[in-house]
Each structure stands twice: as C-alpha cells, then as structure tokens.
Amino acid sequence: MNKLQPVYEITQLQRGAVYQINGTLYQYKYPDPYARIDHPRFVFRCLGGQRKKADLVLNKTSIKKAYLVLGYQAQRGLTVMGEAIQQSLF
C-alpha cells in the first residue's frame, strides 16, 4: 500500500507530484489562470492507464480531499498498470 499524506493547505502542492483524489491518481499541473484571485482553483491531470481520463479542477476548500502519494513523482509518459506505475515506450 502506498503511503499517503493529506494536503491541508494549497501551499503544500508540488508541481509534478502524484496525488490520490477519490481513489484515482492525478498529477498536479498548475493553478487555474482563469480563476478569480479570491477563489483560486487548481488543475490536476489524470495519469494514464486509469478509468478516468478528464482533468480535475479543485478549489481551495475541496483540496482537502487530496492526498500526496509519497515516493511517486510524475514524469512524461507514465502509465498506471494495476498496482504499479510503468513508463511507456512511446
């Protein structure tokens, strides 16, 4: 089982880190540039090889549902296969 660390503040978000949100693995991409300044939003991209394919946008109150997966760092071309992450060739 992966070790999970809850995210309590938006300052703890790390670009390229892998987060588990509602049982799905996501990579944190960037803060939403179209969000209002007083209501920030954050964009997460789903890692490949999972059921969900769409990007996820969370605001600062729903970010508490995210858990940092310790020891995982997302890179270009990562695919989730079963219980492991493997790098795809193309």
Side-chain angles (χ1 to χ4, degrees):
M1 188 67 188
N2 301 328
K3 292 187 179 184
L4 302 176
Q5 178 181 358
V7 177
Y8 296 113
E9 297 179 359
I10 58 175
T11 58
Q12 294 178 335
L13 294 176
Q14 304 169 9
R15 185 166 295 179
V18 176
Y19 291 89
Q20 181 177 351
I21 304 169
N22 294 333
T24 306
L25 295 177
Y26 291 92
Q27 174 188 6
Y28 172 63
K29 295 303 273 184
Y30 52 86
D32 189 7
Y34 301 108
R36 291 177 26 185
I37 292 177
D38 56 341
H39 297 290
R41 296 186 306 182
F42 305 94
V43 178
F44 292 85
R45 171 124 336 130
C46 186
L47 293 179
Q50 298 188 87
R51 218 169 218 201
K52 297 183 181 180
K53 303 292 182 199
D55 290 350
L56 182 66
V57 179
L58 297 178
N59 60 12
K60 66 178 182 179
T61 57
S62 61
I63 203 74
K64 295 177 183 175
K65 298 177 185 178
Y67 294 93
L68 175 65
V69 181
L70 297 175
Y72 281 31
Q73 187 69 24
Q75 298 172 353
R76 190 171 174 218
L78 284 182
T79 304
V80 176
M81 306 288 279
E83 295 273 329
I85 293 183
Q86 298 177 352
Q87 187 171 0
S88 62
L89 295 175
F90 301 103

